[in-house]
Amino acid sequence: MNLLLYVTGLLVGTLDTVLDSTSKVAPYRILHHTPDSQVYWSIACGVTKEEITEHWEWLQQNIMRTLSVFDSSEDITSFVQGKIRGLIAEEGKASLVLEEDPEKFREALFKFEKWFELPPQEKLVTYYSCSYWRGKVPCQGWLYLSTNFLCFYSYLLGSEVKLILSWDEIWRLEKTTNVILTESIHVQAHGENHYFSMLLHLNETFVIMEQLANYSIKRLFDKEDFQREPALSDPLKITKRGLEAHAKSEQFRTFFRLPKEENLLEVHESFLWVPFSHFNTLGKICLSENYLCFASQDGSQCHTIIPMREVINVEKSDPSSRALTVCMRGKRALRFSEVRDYQRLANSLRSRCGISASPQHSASTEVIRGECQSLINHFDDNPEDVTLMVGQKDSSKAVSTEALMMVFHPQDVENLDPKMLKEKMKEQSWNIHFSEYGRGTSMFFTRKTRDLIVRGVPEALRGELWMLFSGAVNDMATHPGYYTDLVEQSLGTSTLATDEIERDLHRSLPEHPAFQSDTGISALRREPQDWLLSGHEHSHLSSLLYAKEEEAFWLLVAVCERMLPDYFNRRIIGALVDQAVFEDLIRENLPQLVEHMTDLCFFSSVSLSWFLTLFISVLPIESAVNVVDCFFYDGIKAILQLGLAVLDYNMEALISCHDDAEAVTILNKFFDSVTNKDSPLPPTVQQASVGSNDKASHVSVDISELIREAYEKYGHIRSEEVETSRKRNKLHVIQTLEDTTKQNVIRVVTQEVRFGASQLDEIYNLFKRQHFLCCYWRIQSPALLHHDPSLAYLDQYQLGFQQFSVLFSLLEPWAFCSPKSTLSLWVFRLIDENQDGLVNFKEFCYALDTLYGASFTNKLKFLFKLHLPPAFTGSPLHLKDQSIQYLIPVTEDSSHLSRLAAFDLPEDGVIRKTPERGRGKVDLQAYLKQWQNEILKKEETIKDLPRINQSQFIHFSKTLYNIFHGDPEEEPLYRAVAHVTSLLLRMEEVGRRLQEPSSPPASTQPAAAAAAAAAAEPPTEEASSTLERSDTCSSTNSQEAETDWSFSFEQVLASLLNEPTIVSFFERPVDLQTKLGQARVAQLKLKGNK
């Protein structure tokens, strides 16, 4: 049987390959193999022997002649990889126009709309031919990627396969390999795994899918981070080219640590003369709005960043070699050669730097040109002269505040102890490095730079290098005066956050004397307050020790916005993501530990403080600063490496421990034993760091040795791999948090309703999707404003009236509420207990549970209350003129505001719960009052219900007719309602005559007769329309004149209980599961029809 399935799969795959030329496998390949390696790199492929021979000849002429200049096989492999990738990128640019054929895209869009029936607002981004694997059988078809959905369609040999997944439902997205598929894209959603394979555009497809999934997650779940990306704010303007450019710019900014405003504009392959190695290194020039960056591709790990503000001229020194020289302030110059489009690059640099290319120059321009020409001539004659290339550090503008370390630990030049002598030797090593590689913003970053970092940064240079490596120096230079303005704004402000800061001031690094003085405490107070005004609530305050106050602020900006993204929001998503990355690395690098501890959640809980505080909370301060040195240079990769080294160092002890508490004790003792033998900090600081810990029981470990071991054992981990793992795990982390929210909500609601857990799970999914449906195609959707992860679980997702009416019409059992009916409005008003214009999941389930599972009495009581205030009239949501404006079509993004015309809205338009939430102080009295009301609230009895008047009873009768409409027993049900109505009216007439012997005034008898007729007659469409139009008049008349008659709930209940047809109808069970299945299919279609 398995053999038959396998053969069938091959047959289908063969047919699909014939039908789709893009899936044909090339039979000829050229592979590159590095000696002593088991990896073979695919360099070229061809369908025919002639084609592969042509590729081989090109390689011989253009690649192999260059390989002789390299000394090692690793350098050869790196060069070949870079060259081939560059060719692929250039070929991709050339074929972009051919691929984006408007006619073919229009045809694909037509099929997309026809096959999937999504709302017309849904924007198709791109499409690919691919295979979708269902078990071992591939289905060849088309993959459609739109703004909000991943769709696949296949129709072959009478078998149709259709798949629709929304991006916000995806748990995992990754490239995988297995026995059957060499490489495929794995998508996990709703607990199911989906695999897509294609041979030509797999990497491109994966990048687009990754961008769309990340876009959806940020927009719907992570609003704080999304608000900082205005380029993707409009879902109707998302394009394939825009997503690809966004992905490249994101990678570019991450690698070079540039501000988020920078975008990658141009990329040029070139050679750069590096004076310290005396040869040209191959790499790429990356140009953004304000920076010129270069990164090598030959394995030398060399890169440099040149701010445009430093460039004074650009010269085309040697047209024959397509070279140009960039001259900078401080007598510095860089020479690029073999730039394919050097003319375009030179013009771009000149225009961005404001340099004129005209032959007519001012006197100052001629002076600059003469200086630059002398630099170029000197460079051509003396390429070994590095001083002209890199120059000296620019003098920075002094600020009023010094680094606290310089104030409280000044260096005594005359009396140097052995530690200070070693510190001076470190400074000398760095000065030598500066003379060779440059100093300041355009310094060359190489392997030697990392080696010096691993050995430890001198105290005197720490602030400067932290600013340089983190990119904070560029932030500060491009935002002059920003910090001063924040200081002035923060003076005298008092909020809940500032109160918390005030309490934490004396608990931050108490072992250091700098933070026990007025100077240090004042700086510590200003720093986080200014950070709060910038939109953040947490910071690493240790930067104040080594950086000036303003520099420390920009260091915090770099850490929180770029280096540790999403760490300091309400749900610390970034830290959870990096913990997941850490778990993956443990599985890959520490298999013995994994075998002993199959559940790695322990390491996640233990390591959380490592990531949040960069080991500052677990290591002594003199050791922790060495870790921060590595972090600012290598980013989170340095923290991950050190975490692995810590676990590796304690491997045997962790394997032998019996429980988690013992493992925690082992790690705590280890961190207490870590020292820094070269630290020049004063003895008081080091003694305070040790405290009362007993280090004699544990062998001391030097932090420099631990960091060196981390780089030696785990330095192979690449930053690109870490970023890829971050993106992959972020989906899973956020969906796990969302699933936790769902489980907590269901746990609460289960106690209040009769639905099972599985049914509540499906209802919650529909409720949440309805919440997001109006977000998919709006820039500023009100539902996005309503969603706040900081709220209680029940209030995180809520529906406004328009959203509620659509979903309720799909799920209510008797199809009596259309999305635009007044009944939907009355139900909405009834279950909106706090009358804030929003319904949460618990309130929604209460309504459904009453209609599906309650007794006849409770169902009737629910319908009865629909026709009483606050549902029927008189609620704060009812407008002053009492007209039913909800029947007027309104747009989704303004409906929640039109319902609140009687209220004063806050400036941001967000409907907030009471008590007020936000960054101000919380009204605890309001919370206590709200909880007290919930505790004291008693169950309502039928005797507590008010009487229903004439107008309300007419509407009640019409509602019963609407419920019975279309039922097989419609006629008997109509007659039963008419009989009950007549009986109630006669009972009321008799009771009134007994109380008043005289007959009623003649003027009231016709009105009573007309009302009785209206209540007893089944409604027609025309009558219903007339009723809606006359609702205001009838309600006004009934209020102006004394009510002729009214009924209590007991009377209505007793009369209806005498009608077996009605009782059996309401007691008849309705299959909720069928309704849920129909709603899943109809939810998107109904949105599209609207």
Side-chain angles (χ1 to χ4, degrees):
M1 184 64 182
N2 292 334
L3 178 62
L4 178 61
L5 288 175
Y6 182 68
V7 172
T8 304
L10 290 180
L11 175 60
V12 175
T14 303
L15 290 174
D16 293 342
T17 302
V18 172
L19 295 175
D20 183 12
S21 61
T22 63
S23 298
K24 293 182 179 179
V25 179
Y28 298 97
R29 291 185 297 170
I30 299 176
L31 304 178
H32 174 80
H33 178 240
T34 306
D36 301 327
S37 174
Q38 297 181 354
V39 179
Y40 290 81
W41 297 94
S42 180
I43 301 301
C45 61
V47 179
T48 63
K49 186 176 181 181
E50 291 75 15
E51 183 180 358
I52 202 68
T53 303
E54 183 180 353
H55 292 331
W56 177 254
E57 292 174 353
W58 187 91
L59 290 171
Q60 286 181 319
Q61 295 177 2
N62 296 275
I63 301 293
M64 294 186 179
R65 294 179 181 178
T66 315
L67 301 182
S68 58
V69 302
F70 297 101
D71 298 330
S72 65
S73 57
E74 288 78 9
D75 292 342
I76 293 176
T77 301
S78 298
F79 172 77
V80 172
Q81 288 177 353
K83 192 70 176 178
I84 297 302
R85 287 170 181 166
L87 291 172
I88 293 173
E90 292 296 329
E91 183 66 22
K93 291 179 182 178
S95 62
L96 187 62
V97 179
L98 298 177
E99 291 177 3
E100 296 182 355
D101 188 342
E103 194 62 35
K104 289 185 177 180
F105 190 86
R106 196 176 297 112
E107 180 183 353
L109 179 60
F110 172 77
K111 293 179 179 178
F112 172 73
E113 295 174 347
K114 173 185 175 183
W115 288 337
F116 303 106
E117 299 180 314
L118 294 173
Q121 306 99 314
E122 183 63 18
K123 178 175 173 54
L124 177 63
V125 176
T126 187
Y127 63 98
Y128 297 96
S129 172
C130 74
S131 294
Y132 170 54
W133 290 80
R134 307 179 70 184
K136 297 181 180 180
V137 181
C139 302
Q140 185 65 29
W142 292 92
L143 179 68
Y144 295 88
L145 306 179
S146 65
T147 308
N148 300 292
F149 298 95
L150 179 155
C151 305
F152 176 84
Y153 184 85
S154 173
Y155 185 83
L156 189 65
L157 301 179
S159 176
E160 183 183 49
V161 178
K162 186 184 297 185
L163 177 70
I164 302 177
L165 299 174
S166 60
W167 295 113
D168 55 86
E169 298 171 338
I170 292 178
W171 280 66
R172 190 167 290 277
L173 177 65
E174 59 187 347
K175 288 191 289 186
T176 59
T177 57
N178 54 41
V179 178
I180 300 177
L181 301 174
T182 55
E183 194 170 22
S184 62
I185 297 176
H186 171 217
V187 179
Q188 185 185 48
H190 303 298
E192 298 179 354
N193 295 310
H194 309 275
Y195 293 90
F196 303 92
S197 64
M198 62 281 291
L199 293 175
L200 289 183
H201 303 288
L202 188 135
N203 290 329
E204 176 188 302
T205 306
F206 180 75
V207 169
I208 298 297
M209 293 172 70
E210 191 176 56
Q211 286 290 305
L212 286 170
N214 189 48
Y215 164 79
S216 179
I217 289 295
K218 282 186 176 181
R219 183 165 184 262
L220 301 178
F221 301 119
D222 190 16
K223 294 184 297 182
E224 296 175 43
D225 189 56
F226 180 76
Q227 291 170 355
R228 297 193 289 268
E229 295 193 21
L232 298 178
S233 59
D234 190 350
L236 300 181
K237 295 182 180 179
I238 301 296
T239 63
K240 173 187 173 185
R241 185 175 299 180
L243 289 172
E244 290 174 338
H246 184 266
K248 292 178 181 177
S249 296
E250 202 173 40
Q251 186 179 7
F252 164 70
R253 290 191 297 265
T254 301
F255 183 83
F256 291 106
R257 308 276 172 78
L258 296 179
K260 286 199 170 185
E261 296 79 16
E262 298 300 315
N263 295 293
L264 182 61
L265 303 177
E266 299 179 23
V267 178
H268 302 268
E269 189 176 84
S270 72
F271 286 89
L272 171 64
W273 174 259
V274 285
F276 47 85
S277 299
H278 303 289
F279 71 86
N280 286 309
T281 181
L282 175 66
K284 286 188 176 180
I285 300 173
C286 301
L287 186 66
S288 69
E289 290 88 348
N290 299 295
Y291 296 91
L292 171 69
C293 306
F294 177 87
S296 65
Q297 292 182 290
D298 57 2
S300 62
Q301 298 180 6
C302 168
H303 71 274
T304 186
I305 305 168
I306 307 169
M308 295 294 185
R309 62 181 182 273
E310 298 289 325
V311 178
I312 58 176
N313 206 358
V314 179
E315 291 293 335
K316 294 177 288 185
S317 55
D318 187 1
S320 62
S321 62
R322 294 178 295 183
L324 56 87
T325 302
V326 179
C327 303
M328 295 167 286
R329 292 187 176 88
K331 295 184 177 181
R332 294 173 291 176
L334 294 176
R335 176 171 175 169
F336 301 95
S337 59
E338 299 299 330
V339 184
R340 179 177 298 183
D341 198 352
Y342 75 104
Q343 182 68 47
R344 175 189 172 192
L345 177 60
N347 293 337
S348 296
L349 290 174
R350 285 171 177 161
S351 63
R352 297 191 179 282
C353 299
I355 302 171
S356 174
S358 172
Q360 298 178 355
H361 305 283
S362 63
S364 60
T365 305
E366 290 295 341
V367 171
I368 294 175
R369 175 177 288 275
E371 182 181 348
C372 291
Q373 189 61 45
S374 65
L375 280 172
I376 296 169
N377 295 337
H378 186 95
F379 169 75
D380 291 335
D381 298 334
N382 306 283
E384 70 283 353
D385 191 348
V386 298
T387 57
L388 290 175
M389 288 290 294
V390 295
Q392 301 296 327
K393 175 193 174 187
D394 290 340
S395 58
S396 60
K397 186 177 180 180
V399 293
S400 58
T401 307
E402 289 188 285
L404 295 179
M405 184 61 71
M406 299 297 103
V407 176
F408 292 91
H409 184 211
Q411 297 182 3
D412 188 355
V413 181
E414 298 180 356
N415 301 314
L416 296 179
D417 57 15
K419 290 186 177 181
M420 289 304 301
L421 286 174
K422 197 162 187 178
E423 186 77 2
K424 287 297 181 183
M425 291 175 62
K426 282 185 182 180
E427 291 184 27
Q428 186 61 29
S429 299
W430 275 97
N431 288 329
I432 295 173
H433 183 80
F434 291 149
S435 66
E436 294 180 359
Y437 297 89
R439 186 171 186 174
T441 53
S442 57
M443 184 179 81
F444 285 97
F445 299 84
T446 64
R447 289 176 178 173
K448 189 174 180 181
T449 311
R450 179 180 282 112
D451 293 340
L452 288 174
I453 290 289
V454 172
R455 291 205 293 266
V457 175
E459 300 280 330
L461 297 175
R462 191 159 266 145
E464 174 190 343
L465 293 178
W466 284 4
M467 290 287 291
L468 179 64
F469 296 150
S470 66
V473 63
N474 293 317
D475 289 324
M476 190 171 72
T478 54
H479 297 85
Y482 181 76
Y483 178 74
T484 305
D485 294 339
L486 286 181
V487 171
E488 294 176 356
Q489 293 178 32
S490 65
L491 292 177
T493 59
S494 178
T495 63
L496 180 64
T498 56
D499 293 343
E500 292 178 359
I501 291 171
E502 199 66 31
R503 289 195 298 269
D504 288 338
L505 289 178
H506 295 278
R507 295 185 290 182
S508 301
L509 298 178
E511 65 270 17
H512 201 285
F515 296 115
Q516 302 304 318
S517 66
D518 292 338
T519 303
I521 291 295
S522 298
L524 203 58
R525 179 181 293 110
R526 286 190 297 269
E527 199 72 24
Q529 286 183 5
D530 301 334
W531 190 241
L532 281 170
L533 288 175
S534 298
H536 298 79
E537 300 178 0
H538 301 271
S539 58
H540 292 289
L541 302 179
S542 59
S543 57
L544 278 169
L545 284 174
Y546 300 99
K548 301 170 185 178
E549 188 174 317
E550 182 177 3
E551 293 175 343
F553 171 79
W554 289 111
L555 280 172
L556 300 180
V557 173
V559 169
C560 297
E561 291 190 356
R562 290 196 301 273
M563 304 185 72
L564 297 178
D566 296 334
Y567 260 63
F568 307 111
N569 55 23
R570 293 183 176 92
R571 298 192 288 180
I572 58 170
I573 291 174
L576 298 176
V577 169
D578 284 341
Q579 284 182 292
V581 175
F582 188 51
E583 287 185 17
D584 292 342
L585 293 175
I586 291 175
R587 293 186 184 94
E588 295 175 9
N589 297 278
L590 301 174
Q592 294 179 347
L593 196 59
V594 175
E595 291 176 4
H596 179 73
M597 305 181 71
T598 54
D599 186 9
L600 299 183
C601 294
F602 163 74
F603 296 112
S604 295
S605 59
V606 170
S607 63
L608 180 61
S609 63
W610 304 356
F611 293 101
L612 286 175
T613 65
L614 307 179
F615 285 94
I616 294 175
S617 63
V618 294
L619 287 175
I621 183 61
E622 70 273 7
S623 301
V625 290
N626 285 39
V627 178
V628 179
D629 294 340
C630 300
F631 167 75
F632 278 123
Y633 189 82
D634 276 320
I636 195 62
K637 170 178 174 285
I639 306 300
L640 295 169
Q641 290 176 176
L642 185 60
L644 292 174
V646 169
L647 297 181
D648 189 17
Y649 192 93
N650 296 276
M651 176 81 73
E652 295 182 2
L654 290 173
I655 290 177
S656 61
C657 65
H658 299 87
D659 52 37
D660 293 350
E662 187 178 350
V664 171
T665 303
I666 291 171
L667 292 175
N668 288 338
K669 287 183 178 180
F670 171 78
F671 287 127
D672 290 340
S673 68
V674 176
T675 62
N676 188 350
K677 61 183 180 182
D678 298 330
S679 175
L681 289 179
T684 55
V685 175
Q686 297 194 38
Q687 291 172 5
S689 300
V690 176
S692 59
N693 295 324
D694 183 14
K695 291 192 176 184
S697 60
H698 206 290
V699 179
S700 63
V701 181
D702 184 64
I703 186 63
S704 298
E705 292 298 321
L706 184 62
I707 292 175
R708 183 184 57 79
E709 184 177 347
Y711 273 91
E712 287 179 356
K713 287 188 176 182
Y714 308 108
H716 63 275
I717 300 173
R718 299 170 61 241
S719 298
E720 293 80 3
E721 296 173 354
V722 173
E723 291 300 322
T724 300
S725 183
R726 271 179 161 181
K727 292 177 182 178
R728 180 178 67 249
N729 284 288
K730 184 174 183 178
L731 292 174
H732 187 268
V733 167
I734 289 184
Q735 294 293 4
T736 301
L737 293 174
E738 289 295 310
D739 190 64
T740 301
T741 298
K742 179 173 72 172
Q743 297 304 326
N744 282 289
V745 169
I746 291 176
R747 188 179 301 113
V748 172
V749 176
T750 301
Q751 303 172 7
E752 306 288 336
V753 299
R754 284 167 284 267
F755 295 137
S758 60
Q759 292 175 325
L760 285 174
D761 186 276
E762 293 190 52
I763 297 174
Y764 184 89
N765 292 335
L766 291 170
F767 188 88
K768 182 178 175 182
R769 169 176 273 196
Q770 192 66 39
H771 170 90
F772 283 144
L773 274 178
C774 69
C775 310
Y776 285 160
W777 306 285
R778 301 288 181 185
I779 300 178
Q780 293 293 339
S781 168
L784 285 179
L785 298 176
H786 300 164
H787 177 53
D788 188 348
S790 66
L791 289 177
Y793 289 123
L794 278 173
D795 295 333
Q796 288 190 19
Y797 292 106
Q798 302 174 90
L799 300 183
F801 169 66
Q802 292 287 345
Q803 301 165 281
F804 164 83
S805 63
V806 172
L807 183 59
F808 189 75
S809 66
L810 292 174
L811 292 179
E812 53 93 0
W814 306 308
F816 70 100
C817 283
S818 63
K820 294 183 179 180
S821 68
T822 51
L823 278 173
S824 297
L825 173 62
W826 296 342
V827 174
F828 180 80
R829 288 173 173 171
L830 177 63
I831 64 177
D832 182 18
E833 295 181 356
N834 56 1
Q835 299 181 351
D836 65 344
L838 297 171
V839 168
N840 63 29
F841 183 70
K842 181 180 177 181
E843 295 167 338
F844 184 81
C845 287
Y846 160 75
L848 287 183
D849 180 65
T850 302
L851 298 179
Y852 274 94
S855 63
F856 173 76
T857 302
N858 287 331
K859 288 179 181 178
L860 192 63
K861 185 171 73 171
F862 183 86
L863 296 175
F864 189 85
K865 290 171 65 176
L866 287 181
H867 304 83
L868 295 173
F872 184 73
T873 184
S875 73
L877 290 178
H878 197 66
L879 301 182
K880 294 180 180 179
D881 59 359
Q882 307 223 349
S883 61
I884 306 177
Q885 298 191 8
Y886 299 92
L887 302 180
I888 303 174
V890 293
T891 57
E892 189 70 44
D893 57 340
S894 64
S895 61
H896 75 301
L897 298 180
S898 66
R899 296 195 316 276
L900 296 170
F903 293 102
D904 292 329
L905 291 177
E907 293 181 358
D908 56 3
V910 182
I911 307 170
R912 288 185 168 85
K913 290 282 186 181
T914 301
E916 183 77 13
R917 70 173 184 266
R919 293 190 178 181
K921 293 186 177 180
V922 179
D923 189 353
L924 298 178
Q925 293 295 330
Y927 271 120
L928 293 174
K929 184 176 180 180
Q930 180 178 335
W931 293 338
Q932 183 182 20
N933 293 335
E934 292 179 358
I935 293 173
L936 297 178
K937 185 171 67 174
K938 59 181 180 179
E939 187 175 355
E940 184 181 50
T941 64
I942 59 176
K943 294 183 179 181
D944 297 328
L945 295 175
R947 297 175 67 87
I948 191 170
N949 63 28
Q950 174 180 320
S951 174
Q952 294 164 351
F953 182 74
I954 292 175
H955 283 89
F956 176 75
S957 302
K958 300 290 186 182
T959 299
L960 291 178
Y961 285 129
N962 288 332
I963 291 175
F964 300 151
H965 179 68
D967 189 84
E969 302 291 328
E970 180 178 358
E971 289 300 326
L973 289 169
Y974 279 179
R975 287 196 297 270
V977 173
H979 182 263
V980 169
T981 302
S982 300
L983 178 62
L984 287 171
L985 288 172
R986 286 197 298 270
M987 290 171 57
E988 177 64 19
E989 183 69 17
V990 171
R992 189 160 54 84
R993 286 181 178 179
L994 290 176
Q995 293 177 2
E996 299 180 6
S998 60
S999 60
S1003 61
T1004 62
Q1005 291 179 359
E1017 182 181 352
T1020 61
E1021 293 183 5
E1022 182 178 357
S1024 298
S1025 176
T1026 305
L1027 171 67
E1028 291 174 351
R1029 288 194 301 268
S1030 62
D1031 175 50
T1032 304
C1033 298
S1034 63
S1035 115
T1036 303
N1037 293 335
S1038 64
Q1039 291 176 7
E1040 290 178 353
E1042 184 180 355
T1043 304
D1044 292 331
W1045 42 262
S1046 63
F1047 304 115
S1048 67
F1049 177 73
E1050 292 95 325
Q1051 291 175 308
V1052 175
L1053 176 62
S1055 301
L1056 290 175
L1057 282 173
N1058 289 325
E1059 298 294 335
T1061 310
I1062 295 178
V1063 175
S1064 62
F1065 174 86
F1066 282 107
E1067 290 183 347
R1068 185 194 312 162
V1070 181
D1071 187 6
L1072 175 62
Q1073 208 60 41
T1074 303
K1075 281 281 186 177
L1076 291 174
Q1078 295 171 350
R1080 283 194 299 270
V1081 176
Q1083 195 174 32
L1084 282 175
K1085 294 182 180 179
L1086 189 57
K1087 178 68 181 178
N1089 293 334
K1090 282 185 65 182

